[in-house]
Amino acid sequence: VDFVDCKLVSLVAKRFKVTKEIISLKKKDGLAVKDVKREDIILKETGKLAKKAKLNTEFITDIFKRILKESKK
């Protein structure tokens, strides 16, 4: 379990790094940082993945909402 926890944290860190790079590029190009349509797609797709994995979709959606919010800070 510790190994899996370590991987989860590592993947979230990697996601934040990529997001930071994307935000930087968007700002450089004068684009809006927040993309509501893209966020909706992410939430729908991760919900589908959760359902397929037989996980609580509301739980996974809540996690991704927090990830999306935190990644814009």
Side-chain angles (χ1 to χ4, degrees):
V1 173
D2 292 341
F3 175 77
V4 175
D5 290 344
C6 181
K7 284 292 187 184
L8 281 169
V9 171
S10 177
L11 288 170
V12 170
K14 186 181 282 189
R15 190 187 196 290
F16 283 167
K17 181 180 178 188
V18 170
T19 302
K20 194 175 210 177
E21 292 170 5
I22 291 169
I23 289 171
S24 179
L25 291 171
K26 283 183 169 187
K27 286 181 177 179
K28 181 181 172 188
D29 291 342
L31 301 171
V33 171
K34 185 169 182 159
D35 184 344
V36 176
K37 287 181 184 180
R38 175 70 179 134
E39 290 183 12
D40 287 344
I41 291 168
I42 291 168
L43 294 175
K44 286 177 186 169
E45 291 302 315
T46 53
K48 288 178 188 176
L49 291 170
K51 187 173 183 178
K52 186 175 180 179
K54 298 182 181 180
L55 295 171
N56 180 323
T57 56
E58 186 177 329
F59 171 70
I60 297 299
T61 299
D62 286 346
I63 290 171
F64 273 88
K65 283 180 181 177
R66 294 198 62 184
I67 288 171
L68 290 168
K69 183 178 178 180
E70 187 68 26
S71 68
K72 289 186 284 277
K73 288 185 178 179

XYZ file of all heavy atoms in Angstrom:
589
model
N 0.828 -1.193 0.000
C 0.000 0.000 0.000
C 0.872 1.257 0.000
O 0.552 2.224 -0.693
C -0.973 -0.006 1.205
C -1.715 1.303 1.318
C -1.951 -1.147 1.102
N 1.955 1.234 0.726
C 2.846 2.405 0.764
C 3.385 2.735 -0.635
O 3.480 3.907 -1.003
C 4.017 2.169 1.724
C 3.579 2.096 3.177
O 2.472 2.572 3.490
O 4.352 1.546 3.985
N 3.708 1.693 -1.388
C 4.211 1.890 -2.744
C 3.158 2.570 -3.617
O 3.466 3.495 -4.376
C 4.631 0.544 -3.356
C 5.038 0.648 -4.794
C 6.278 1.160 -5.129
C 4.175 0.248 -5.804
C 6.662 1.272 -6.470
C 4.552 0.348 -7.137
C 5.796 0.862 -7.467
N 1.934 2.129 -3.508
C 0.841 2.715 -4.293
C 0.622 4.164 -3.883
O 0.445 5.043 -4.744
C -0.459 1.891 -4.140
C -1.620 2.575 -4.850
C -0.270 0.480 -4.678
N 0.660 4.442 -2.584
C 0.514 5.825 -2.104
C 1.618 6.710 -2.669
O 1.367 7.843 -3.103
C 0.539 5.878 -0.575
C -0.697 5.270 0.054
O -1.707 5.085 -0.660
O -0.651 4.965 1.263
N 2.814 6.194 -2.681
C 3.955 6.933 -3.222
C 3.738 7.239 -4.701
O 3.989 8.359 -5.153
C 5.228 6.123 -3.008
S 6.710 6.947 -3.597
N 3.262 6.266 -5.442
C 2.986 6.459 -6.869
C 1.889 7.501 -7.085
O 1.979 8.332 -7.994
C 2.583 5.133 -7.533
C 3.732 4.220 -7.785
C 4.618 4.827 -8.846
C 5.696 3.878 -9.272
N 6.599 4.505 -10.232
N 0.840 7.446 -6.264
C -0.251 8.418 -6.380
C 0.270 9.844 -6.191
O -0.038 10.744 -6.977
C -1.347 8.135 -5.354
C -2.318 7.018 -5.679
C -3.164 6.679 -4.455
C -3.205 7.402 -6.838
N 1.055 10.041 -5.160
C 1.601 11.377 -4.888
C 2.513 11.816 -6.031
O 2.460 12.961 -6.481
C 2.340 11.403 -3.527
C 3.097 12.712 -3.337
C 1.350 11.195 -2.389
N 3.321 10.897 -6.521
C 4.222 11.197 -7.632
C 3.448 11.597 -8.888
O 3.817 12.549 -9.587
C 5.103 9.984 -7.907
O 5.936 10.216 -9.003
N 2.374 10.890 -9.176
C 1.562 11.207 -10.350
C 0.848 12.548 -10.215
O 0.759 13.310 -11.194
C 0.556 10.088 -10.619
C 1.156 8.791 -11.165
C 0.104 7.673 -11.161
C 1.713 8.995 -12.560
N 0.374 12.856 -9.021
C -0.262 14.160 -8.812
C 0.778 15.268 -8.995
O 0.505 16.286 -9.640
C -0.939 14.239 -7.419
C -1.374 15.659 -7.105
C -2.137 13.296 -7.359
N 1.974 15.063 -8.467
C 3.044 16.054 -8.634
C 3.377 16.245 -10.108
O 3.562 17.375 -10.578
C 4.284 15.628 -7.852
N 3.433 15.153 -10.852
C 3.721 15.221 -12.287
C 2.606 15.978 -13.007
O 2.867 16.800 -13.886
C 3.849 13.813 -12.866
C 4.285 13.789 -14.316
C 4.379 12.381 -14.859
C 5.659 11.738 -14.386
N 5.918 10.441 -15.046
N 1.361 15.721 -12.625
C 0.232 16.414 -13.241
C 0.318 17.915 -12.989
O 0.088 18.722 -13.878
C -1.091 15.860 -12.709
C -2.283 16.374 -13.496
C -3.590 15.957 -12.880
N -4.686 16.113 -13.788
C -5.186 17.287 -14.194
N -4.661 18.402 -13.753
N -6.193 17.338 -15.036
N 0.654 18.306 -11.746
C 0.778 19.723 -11.415
C 1.912 20.373 -12.210
O 1.793 21.517 -12.649
C 0.996 19.925 -9.923
C -0.248 19.774 -9.089
C -0.154 19.668 -7.722
C -1.523 19.735 -9.644
C -1.293 19.531 -6.929
C -2.662 19.596 -8.871
C -2.536 19.502 -7.508
N 3.007 19.654 -12.407
C 4.128 20.193 -13.184
C 3.697 20.457 -14.625
O 3.980 21.517 -15.176
C 5.306 19.223 -13.147
C 6.507 19.718 -13.891
C 7.655 18.735 -13.832
C 8.822 19.278 -14.644
N 9.889 18.323 -14.796
N 3.018 19.506 -15.228
C 2.544 19.662 -16.605
C 1.537 20.812 -16.687
O 1.592 21.642 -17.602
C 1.925 18.345 -17.127
C 1.214 18.554 -18.458
C 2.994 17.272 -17.249
N 0.640 20.869 -15.715
C -0.366 21.937 -15.694
C 0.296 23.305 -15.586
O -0.115 24.258 -16.254
C -1.344 21.728 -14.517
O -1.961 20.456 -14.653
C -2.421 22.796 -14.495
N 1.328 23.401 -14.757
C 2.041 24.669 -14.597
C 2.658 25.107 -15.930
O 2.612 26.286 -16.291
C 3.125 24.508 -13.532
C 3.701 25.776 -13.035
C 4.678 25.490 -11.891
C 4.702 26.651 -10.943
N 5.557 26.438 -9.794
N 3.206 24.157 -16.665
C 3.785 24.462 -17.976
C 2.710 24.936 -18.953
O 2.920 25.887 -19.713
C 4.498 23.237 -18.534
C 5.745 22.857 -17.757
C 6.321 21.501 -18.145
O 5.813 20.871 -19.098
O 7.277 21.069 -17.482
N 1.556 24.283 -18.932
C 0.452 24.667 -19.814
C -0.040 26.072 -19.470
O -0.268 26.894 -20.366
C -0.699 23.641 -19.726
C -0.255 22.315 -20.357
C -1.965 24.170 -20.414
C -1.195 21.156 -20.090
N -0.188 26.349 -18.183
C -0.627 27.685 -17.744
C 0.360 28.743 -18.219
O -0.042 29.801 -18.715
C -0.824 27.725 -16.212
C -2.070 26.921 -15.833
C -0.927 29.165 -15.715
C -2.243 26.716 -14.336
N 1.641 28.466 -18.096
C 2.667 29.404 -18.543
C 2.540 29.688 -20.040
O 2.619 30.846 -20.471
C 4.049 28.835 -18.214
O 5.050 29.700 -18.654
N 2.345 28.646 -20.822
C 2.181 28.816 -22.269
C 0.910 29.600 -22.606
O 0.923 30.458 -23.503
C 2.149 27.457 -22.966
C 3.460 26.686 -22.988
C 3.243 25.266 -23.499
C 4.496 27.417 -23.831
N -0.171 29.294 -21.898
C -1.429 30.016 -22.143
C -1.260 31.499 -21.850
O -1.713 32.351 -22.625
C -2.557 29.439 -21.293
C -3.114 28.144 -21.819
C -4.274 27.687 -20.956
C -5.032 26.546 -21.585
N -6.243 26.213 -20.833
N -0.619 31.808 -20.717
C -0.405 33.219 -20.359
C 0.468 33.907 -21.405
O 0.200 35.044 -21.784
C 0.218 33.319 -18.975
C -0.756 33.031 -17.857
C -0.103 33.169 -16.496
C -1.101 32.951 -15.377
N -0.485 33.064 -14.048
N 1.502 33.216 -21.860
C 2.404 33.768 -22.868
C 1.655 34.088 -24.153
O 1.921 35.098 -24.805
C 3.528 32.771 -23.150
C 4.532 33.223 -24.162
C 5.588 32.158 -24.398
C 6.482 32.558 -25.556
N 7.385 31.489 -25.942
N 0.701 33.236 -24.496
C -0.078 33.424 -25.723
C -1.335 34.271 -25.516
O -2.131 34.433 -26.436
C -0.476 32.065 -26.307
C 0.725 31.297 -26.845
O 1.777 31.918 -27.091
O 0.612 30.064 -27.022
N -1.528 34.768 -24.296
C -2.680 35.621 -24.008
C -4.000 34.876 -23.934
O -5.062 35.457 -24.149
N -3.931 33.578 -23.636
C -5.144 32.764 -23.534
C -5.624 32.675 -22.085
O -4.827 32.830 -21.154
C -4.876 31.349 -24.062
C -4.416 31.256 -25.515
C -3.985 29.829 -25.838
C -5.534 31.703 -26.442
N -6.899 32.414 -21.924
C -7.473 32.245 -20.588
C -6.901 30.979 -19.956
O -6.750 29.951 -20.618
C -8.989 32.143 -20.668
N -6.596 31.063 -18.671
C -6.063 29.916 -17.947
C -7.155 28.885 -17.719
O -6.960 27.695 -17.921
C -5.427 30.353 -16.607
C -5.073 29.158 -15.755
C -4.200 31.221 -16.865
N -8.327 29.345 -17.314
C -9.430 28.436 -17.020
C -10.176 28.097 -18.301
O -10.528 28.973 -19.083
C -10.380 29.066 -16.006
C -11.475 28.129 -15.563
C -12.237 28.673 -14.375
C -13.272 27.653 -13.965
N -13.707 27.814 -12.611
N -10.411 26.807 -18.479
C -11.145 26.314 -19.639
C -12.262 25.409 -19.122
O -12.057 24.217 -18.885
C -10.195 25.548 -20.564
C -10.854 25.090 -21.854
O -12.100 25.078 -21.936
O -10.108 24.723 -22.784
N -13.427 25.990 -18.931
C -14.556 25.277 -18.327
C -14.937 24.043 -19.143
O -15.204 22.979 -18.569
C -15.773 26.219 -18.150
C -16.972 25.467 -17.609
C -15.416 27.381 -17.230
N -14.928 24.160 -20.457
C -15.285 23.017 -21.306
C -14.307 21.867 -21.095
O -14.707 20.717 -20.984
C -15.316 23.413 -22.788
C -16.494 24.262 -23.163
C -16.473 24.592 -24.644
C -17.622 25.523 -24.991
N -17.627 25.846 -26.424
N -13.021 22.189 -21.045
C -11.994 21.160 -20.844
C -12.146 20.517 -19.466
O -12.039 19.302 -19.325
C -10.600 21.773 -21.006
C -9.461 20.832 -20.696
C -9.327 19.737 -21.740
N -8.206 18.885 -21.385
C -8.237 17.565 -21.389
N -9.316 16.926 -21.784
N -7.190 16.864 -21.040
N -12.422 21.330 -18.456
C -12.608 20.788 -17.107
C -13.822 19.862 -17.056
O -13.772 18.810 -16.413
C -12.732 21.913 -16.087
C -11.415 22.640 -15.872
C -11.488 23.718 -14.814
O -12.491 23.787 -14.061
O -10.534 24.508 -14.725
N -14.893 20.234 -17.730
C -16.078 19.365 -17.786
C -15.751 18.027 -18.443
O -16.192 16.979 -17.973
C -17.221 20.052 -18.542
C -17.882 21.170 -17.751
O -17.680 21.238 -16.514
O -18.603 21.973 -18.363
N -14.968 18.081 -19.505
C -14.560 16.848 -20.192
C -13.730 15.977 -19.252
O -13.949 14.760 -19.167
C -13.780 17.169 -21.486
C -14.719 17.780 -22.527
C -13.080 15.926 -22.032
C -14.015 18.395 -23.727
N -12.791 16.582 -18.557
C -11.945 15.834 -17.614
C -12.809 15.157 -16.555
O -12.621 13.972 -16.249
C -10.899 16.754 -16.961
C -9.863 17.191 -17.995
C -10.218 16.068 -15.771
C -8.957 18.316 -17.536
N -13.762 15.895 -15.994
C -14.618 15.331 -14.944
C -15.493 14.198 -15.481
O -15.672 13.177 -14.811
C -15.467 16.431 -14.304
C -14.681 17.488 -13.527
C -15.611 18.595 -13.051
C -13.914 16.885 -12.369
N -16.015 14.357 -16.680
C -16.835 13.289 -17.276
C -15.995 12.047 -17.561
O -16.416 10.922 -17.277
C -17.509 13.785 -18.559
C -18.657 14.725 -18.299
C -19.248 15.258 -19.585
C -20.295 16.304 -19.268
N -20.739 17.049 -20.448
N -14.815 12.258 -18.133
C -13.957 11.123 -18.490
C -13.446 10.387 -17.250
O -13.415 9.156 -17.224
C -12.785 11.582 -19.359
C -13.198 12.020 -20.743
C -13.926 10.939 -21.539
O -13.470 9.781 -21.537
O -14.961 11.261 -22.152
N -13.042 11.135 -16.232
C -12.564 10.469 -15.012
C -13.720 9.773 -14.301
O -13.518 8.724 -13.681
C -11.845 11.445 -14.064
O -12.685 12.573 -13.795
C -10.521 11.918 -14.664
N -14.922 10.315 -14.428
C -16.102 9.639 -13.878
C -16.344 8.309 -14.576
O -16.643 7.299 -13.937
N -16.192 8.304 -15.897
C -16.341 7.056 -16.664
C -15.277 6.038 -16.264
O -15.564 4.850 -16.113
C -16.233 7.335 -18.169
C -17.416 8.047 -18.762
C -17.159 8.306 -20.246
C -18.217 9.193 -20.850
N -17.921 9.531 -22.262
N -14.048 6.523 -16.103
C -12.961 5.628 -15.681
C -13.241 5.043 -14.303
O -12.983 3.865 -14.052
C -11.625 6.381 -15.675
C -11.068 6.778 -17.033
C -9.878 7.717 -16.865
C -10.668 5.543 -17.836
N -13.764 5.891 -13.416
C -14.097 5.425 -12.063
C -15.165 4.345 -12.112
O -15.053 3.312 -11.440
C -14.565 6.602 -11.205
N -16.186 4.585 -12.910
C -17.281 3.607 -13.031
C -16.756 2.287 -13.571
O -17.094 1.213 -13.062
C -18.381 4.165 -13.925
C -19.618 3.317 -13.976
C -20.730 4.006 -14.754
C -21.988 3.151 -14.725
N -23.096 3.788 -15.412
N -15.909 2.380 -14.598
C -15.336 1.171 -15.198
C -14.491 0.401 -14.179
O -14.468 -0.827 -14.184
C -14.483 1.562 -16.407
C -13.961 0.402 -17.185
C -13.222 0.872 -18.432
C -12.695 -0.319 -19.215
N -11.995 0.098 -20.427
N -13.812 1.136 -13.303
C -12.976 0.516 -12.273
C -13.778 0.133 -11.023
O -13.210 -0.309 -10.031
C -11.841 1.454 -11.891
N -15.110 0.348 -11.101
C -16.019 0.045 -9.990
C -15.681 0.849 -8.728
O -15.730 0.346 -7.615
C -16.048 -1.447 -9.710
C -16.571 -2.234 -10.895
C -16.661 -3.694 -10.630
C -17.188 -4.341 -11.912
N -17.351 -5.735 -11.855
N -15.357 2.133 -8.962
C -15.106 3.065 -7.871
C -16.294 4.011 -7.753
O -17.060 4.184 -8.704
C -13.833 3.874 -8.138
C -12.531 3.088 -8.180
C -11.399 3.986 -8.674
C -12.203 2.522 -6.809
N -16.406 4.647 -6.635
C -17.447 5.631 -6.395
C -17.172 6.842 -7.286
O -16.192 7.561 -7.078
C -17.449 6.005 -4.912
C -18.494 7.027 -4.557
O -18.769 7.942 -5.320
N -19.057 6.889 -3.390
N -18.023 7.070 -8.274
C -17.789 8.157 -9.230
C -17.821 9.532 -8.568
O -17.056 10.412 -8.946
C -18.796 8.113 -10.394
O -20.117 8.137 -9.888
C -18.597 6.864 -11.239
N -18.679 9.702 -7.584
C -18.739 10.987 -6.878
C -17.423 11.260 -6.151
O -16.914 12.383 -6.154
C -19.902 10.982 -5.880
C -20.130 12.319 -5.217
C -21.335 12.302 -4.287
O -22.291 11.563 -4.536
O -21.290 13.050 -3.291
N -16.867 10.236 -5.547
C -15.592 10.358 -4.843
C -14.478 10.776 -5.803
O -13.728 11.726 -5.537
C -15.254 9.018 -4.164
C -13.881 8.936 -3.583
C -13.536 9.663 -2.462
C -12.922 8.112 -4.164
C -12.262 9.579 -1.918
C -11.653 8.024 -3.634
C -11.320 8.759 -2.512
N -14.388 10.097 -6.933
C -13.341 10.403 -7.913
C -13.551 11.795 -8.505
O -12.596 12.562 -8.671
C -13.292 9.331 -9.023
C -12.913 7.960 -8.442
C -12.335 9.745 -10.150
C -11.560 7.886 -7.768
N -14.792 12.143 -8.799
C -15.086 13.481 -9.321
C -14.683 14.553 -8.320
O -14.090 15.572 -8.699
C -16.587 13.600 -9.688
O -16.885 12.635 -10.700
C -16.923 14.986 -10.212
N -14.970 14.327 -7.043
C -14.570 15.288 -6.005
C -13.052 15.450 -5.957
O -12.544 16.569 -5.827
C -15.085 14.853 -4.636
C -16.578 15.055 -4.469
O -17.191 15.775 -5.296
O -17.139 14.490 -3.516
N -12.336 14.345 -6.057
C -10.873 14.412 -6.059
C -10.391 15.257 -7.239
O -9.542 16.140 -7.076
C -10.250 12.999 -6.125
C -10.474 12.267 -4.803
C -8.760 13.066 -6.474
C -10.082 10.805 -4.832
N -10.938 15.002 -8.419
C -10.483 15.738 -9.594
C -10.901 17.206 -9.561
O -10.164 18.066 -10.053
C -10.903 15.039 -10.891
C -9.900 14.021 -11.314
C -9.984 12.723 -10.850
C -8.835 14.359 -12.129
C -9.036 11.777 -11.201
C -7.877 13.424 -12.487
C -7.974 12.131 -12.018
N -12.028 17.516 -8.975
C -12.401 18.922 -8.801
C -11.363 19.638 -7.943
O -10.957 20.763 -8.242
C -13.789 19.044 -8.164
C -14.915 18.786 -9.115
C -16.248 18.930 -8.415
C -17.423 18.643 -9.349
N -18.714 18.717 -8.651
N -10.917 18.972 -6.897
C -9.889 19.563 -6.020
C -8.557 19.690 -6.738
O -7.857 20.683 -6.583
C -9.756 18.740 -4.746
C -11.053 18.836 -3.918
C -10.896 18.454 -2.524
N -9.956 19.361 -1.861
C -9.574 19.208 -0.615
N -10.034 18.214 0.105
N -8.722 20.038 -0.067
N -8.210 18.674 -7.522
C -6.963 18.732 -8.290
C -7.007 19.899 -9.282
O -6.051 20.667 -9.404
C -6.694 17.389 -9.014
C -6.296 16.318 -8.002
C -5.629 17.562 -10.100
C -6.216 14.916 -8.580
N -8.118 20.030 -9.982
C -8.262 21.111 -10.958
C -8.164 22.483 -10.283
O -7.508 23.389 -10.787
C -9.573 20.976 -11.727
C -9.643 19.794 -12.698
C -11.083 19.598 -13.185
C -8.690 19.960 -13.852
N -8.822 22.620 -9.159
C -8.792 23.889 -8.422
C -7.375 24.204 -7.937
O -6.883 25.311 -8.098
C -9.762 23.826 -7.235
C -9.857 25.104 -6.465
C -10.869 25.000 -5.340
C -10.925 26.285 -4.541
N -11.890 26.205 -3.441
N -6.726 23.223 -7.358
C -5.380 23.411 -6.807
C -4.366 23.694 -7.908
O -3.432 24.479 -7.709
C -4.969 22.166 -6.017
C -3.675 22.310 -5.271
C -3.711 23.298 -4.119
O -4.790 23.537 -3.556
O -2.635 23.844 -3.782
N -4.552 23.106 -9.061
C -3.574 23.276 -10.144
C -3.548 24.685 -10.715
O -2.597 25.068 -11.384
C -3.841 22.257 -11.261
O -5.052 22.528 -11.917
N -4.579 25.464 -10.434
C -4.630 26.840 -10.933
C -4.068 27.849 -9.941
O -4.035 29.038 -10.229
C -6.061 27.202 -11.311
C -6.539 26.482 -12.563
C -7.889 26.956 -13.008
C -9.013 26.464 -12.210
N -9.609 25.208 -12.401
N -3.627 27.385 -8.802
C -3.087 28.308 -7.786
C -1.667 28.694 -8.110
O -0.929 27.997 -8.710
C -3.132 27.659 -6.398
C -4.533 27.562 -5.867
C -4.490 27.026 -4.455
C -5.883 26.963 -3.865
N -5.861 26.439 -2.519
